[in-house]
Structure formats: structure tokens, C-alpha cells
Amino acid sequence: MALDVTFGVSTWLWTSPFNKDTVSLFPKIKSFGYDAVEIPVEDPDLIDLKLVKAALKENELKPIICGAFGPTRDFTHEDPTFHQTCFDYLDSCFEIAAELGAGFVAGPMYSAVGKARLVSPEQRKVEWDRAVQNLRKVCHRAGEFGLEIALETLNRFETDLINTAEELKQLIIDINEPQAKALLDGFHVSIEEPSIEEAIRSVGDKLIHVQVSENYRGTPGTGQTNWAAWKKGLEEVGYSGTISIESFTPNVKELAGAVCIWKPLVPSQDGFAKEGLEFLKKWARN
């Protein structure tokens, strides 16, 4: 049975941060056959809304807004000023998403990316409770914009809070707000989950976005990913959203350092985007 999905790609595949020059990628992305473009909001002040909105319309691309959660954007920090920084940042992301017509803001917004330590159960509960309390407020704010949030699991090297779909499901249950939804990223799933199908079933109808690459962050279809399991799981939960390719380039040193990509994964980032989409479209049809 064919999956009823659309396909997107993150501009992180080519460049970072997203700014007024990044919209020059939109015609190419559309020409490759994509339906959507992921817009990573590293610095909201760099997003020219009027320019981006016009470029999306001209190229008939759907926007997907993704957040970036560095050390200062941390809802689990003991200092509440870090929480306020994150609230302010997400407010900007919500304004951008609402203006561009996106339905949600995505990302691992529960904690700062890279905060990965061995902590006591007591400390983990303190930080979990902080994340839950703060994300409830985020959900209320998202609701005021008519938006949802797509919370993403990360692998153990990038966070110690939410590594598995089961943990993500529990977080969503604890938040207990209708705006709290799920995002699964194939790269992280390939590291942390014993079963891709069970991971997808765990979040079930809360799943509103999927990101993919290969197990080594490379072009879909060239690695060890169990694509049959992905398809079966997505069919079981009736997923009909966007499947986006997310990977990175070593040419952007700061971002490459953050995700530990020290060498090119492919001869060409354009080739990555084109061949990856060709594989995904065939995979979704068969």
C-alpha cells in the first residue's frame, strides 16, 4: 500500500543559518520535486518574513518551522532566566510559523541540545518536571497562535532526557495539552530504538512530522536503515504528514561541529537531495 505523504528537505543540507540568501535554494528544491522546505530558525532576526513568504508562494512550497536549541535555550536549567530566553525564542518561532502558514514548530525544545550527562534519578525527575511545566506554558502559547509543537527525540550523545519514543510518549502524556505532538527522526531512531515499528506505534496518532536520512546521516537508501519497517509502522498509525530529509554539510563549520560531521557524506549536496527524494518516492509507492 502506498503511503499518503508529502516530502520535504531541510535547508541545513546546504547552509546555515537561514537568512535572506537561503531563499535562493527554493527554486532548486522545487525543481527536484519537493513539496515542502524545512526552515531552521537559528536566529529569528535573520528571517525576512515578507521575502520568505513570497518565495514559498512563488515556488509552491509548504513551510515547516524547526527550532534550534543551544545552551541558552534550556527549559531544564536551574536558572529561570534560561527558561525565559527559550520562551521568548519560541514566541518568535510561533510568530514566524503563523505568518508563513505552518501548522507547528518542531524540535527537541525540552532541553538544550548537547546536555548529555549521567545524573541521579532525583536530578532527572527535577529536570523532567521543569520540562513538563515549561512545555505546558509553551503549548498554551502555541495554541494562541493556532499552532502545535512537534517534540523530537534525540540520541544519547545529544541529550540525556528524551532518547526513545516511549520516553517521548510519556513526556506528552505528562504535559497533557492538545498542542503537544511528536516528531521522529530516523537518525536518532536508528541509534536508540530496538524496533522502528514499535517506536512509531508508541507515539501513534501524536506523530505529526518525520525526518529521515540514513543511519550514518547519508542519502536515504544507501545505508542500513530498515525502510520496510518504517513503511509498515507509518502505515499502521495512518501517518499522512510530511517526510523530510534532514542532514548537514561539513562546509558549515559551526553546525558540522555540533553534529560531528567531519567529512563530506556525499560528493554533492544537490545529489543528496535529488537521489534521496527519488528513493523515498519509490519507497512510499511500493
Side-chain angles (χ1 to χ4, degrees), residues 8-261:
V9 64
S10 173
T11 59
W12 266 339
L13 190 65
W14 292 275
T15 189
S16 170
F18 191 101
N19 57 36
K20 61 182 178 59
D21 296 326
T22 313
V23 298
S24 65
L25 290 169
F26 288 10
K28 175 163 58 179
I29 288 169
K30 184 63 179 180
S31 74
F32 290 164
Y34 285 97
D35 310 291
V37 57
E38 284 195 6
I39 298 173
V41 182
E42 289 160 274
D43 181 351
D45 291 338
L46 297 178
I47 308 291
D48 184 330
L49 277 174
K50 186 176 180 181
L51 180 68
V52 175
K53 194 172 187 178
L56 288 168
K57 183 178 181 180
E58 181 179 349
N59 293 283
E60 299 180 314
L61 288 170
K62 170 189 169 184
I64 295 168
I65 305 303
C66 297
F69 299 89
T72 63
R73 299 167 183 165
D74 183 2
F75 278 142
T76 64
H77 202 283
E78 60 185 8
D79 184 347
T81 61
F82 283 72
H83 307 173
Q84 191 58 52
T85 296
C86 207
F87 285 131
D88 293 343
Y89 166 69
L90 281 168
D91 260 9
S92 296
C93 290
F94 293 148
E95 289 169 6
I96 290 167
E99 180 64 26
L100 296 180
F104 59 85
V105 172
M109 58 190 75
Y110 41 81
S111 183
V113 176
K115 191 173 183 178
R117 314 135 301 152
L118 181 61
V119 298
S120 67
E122 294 77 14
Q123 180 64 22
R124 175 176 167 78
K125 185 177 188 311
V126 167
E127 296 185 6
W128 181 280
D129 290 345
R130 282 181 192 143
V132 168
Q133 181 180 5
N134 285 319
L135 287 171
R136 278 191 192 135
K137 296 176 183 176
V138 168
C139 284
H140 295 162
R141 186 62 171 153
E144 292 175 11
F145 285 91
L147 300 169
E148 296 175 317
I149 61 171
L151 297 163
E152 178 183 6
T153 66
L154 295 181
N155 70 74
R156 69 193 71 180
F157 307 108
E158 297 185 37
T159 186
D160 55 46
L161 196 68
I162 304 292
N163 301 133
T164 67
E166 191 63 36
E167 290 169 337
L168 179 57
K169 178 184 176 183
Q170 189 60 55
L171 181 67
I172 291 171
I173 290 171
D174 289 358
I175 294 168
N176 194 30
E177 296 292 343
Q179 296 83 12
K181 299 295 173 64
L183 181 168
L184 291 179
D185 180 319
F187 173 72
H188 303 294
V189 167
S190 71
I191 295 173
E192 297 297 339
E193 302 287 357
S195 166
I196 292 170
E197 290 175 51
E198 186 54 41
I200 297 169
R201 282 195 293 266
S202 289
V203 293
D205 63 1
K206 298 294 185 182
L207 185 65
I208 61 170
H209 192 48
V210 172
Q211 293 175 331
V212 296
S213 61
E214 267 302 342
N215 61 292
Y216 67 100
R217 286 268 197 210
T219 309
T222 64
Q224 300 181 50
T225 298
N226 186 341
W227 292 100
W230 267 104
K231 188 175 183 191
K232 187 175 180 183
L234 293 174
E235 286 175 346
E236 284 186 25
V237 302
Y239 182 74
S240 59
T242 300
I243 298 175
S244 289
I245 291 179
E246 184 198 59
S247 191
F248 310 91
T249 169
N251 295 329
V252 180
K253 301 305 179 187
E254 183 176 355
L255 188 58
V259 296
C260 301
I261 291 180

